[in-house]
Amino acid sequence: MSYNERLQVNYTLYQSLLNAMKDKDINALQTLLKQPLHEAMSMDFRRSVRTLKHHLSSIENSFMYLFNNGRIEGIHNKIKVLNRVAMGIVISRTTVSGSSFISN
């Protein structure tokens, strides 16, 4: 088994999966995921295929419906970032005020 064979096998399946997802073709995706994996397939890619198989029903729903929770997740992330920044400001103010760098 050569390095090039492993790369070729991984790349071919990767591109096929990308095309099926881009086209939102659930039948092509199911067919790709049901095929036995080539023995040259990397362990990391095997794990990715197992994850896709596990979440296939959710992927199918994302193909069928235009709705997603991306906007809510983005807002939630901004709130978490603001909390972290605010805590950093509070911690830095207490550290500076308690240090000997501030003179009266």
Side-chain angles (χ1 to χ4, degrees), residues 69-98:
N69 64 345
R71 185 174 176 97
I72 294 170
E73 291 290 335
I75 293 169
H76 184 250
N77 189 43
K78 285 180 184 178
I79 292 169
K80 286 173 33 177
V81 169
L82 286 172
N83 282 335
R84 263 184 269 149
V85 169
M87 285 304 292
I89 292 171
V90 170
I91 290 172
S92 67
R93 284 186 180 168
T94 57
T95 304
V96 171
S97 65

Side-chain angles (χ1 to χ4, degrees), residues 35-98:
Q35 291 176 353
L37 296 177
H38 192 275
E39 61 189 32
M41 186 74 56
S42 72
M43 292 307 292
D44 293 329
F45 207 85
R46 287 176 186 273
R47 187 177 321 124
S48 298
V49 169
R50 267 196 319 266
T51 302
L52 287 173
K53 285 179 182 178
H54 180 74
H55 295 289
L56 194 56
S57 63
S58 299
I59 294 169
E60 183 177 5
N61 286 337
S62 73
F63 288 174
M64 292 184 341
Y65 303 110
L66 298 176
F67 307 110
N68 63 42
N69 64 345
R71 185 174 176 97
I72 294 170
E73 291 290 335
I75 293 169
H76 184 250
N77 189 43
K78 285 180 184 178
I79 292 169
K80 286 173 33 177
V81 169
L82 286 172
N83 282 335
R84 263 184 269 149
V85 169
M87 285 304 292
I89 292 171
V90 170
I91 290 172
S92 67
R93 284 186 180 168
T94 57
T95 304
V96 171
S97 65

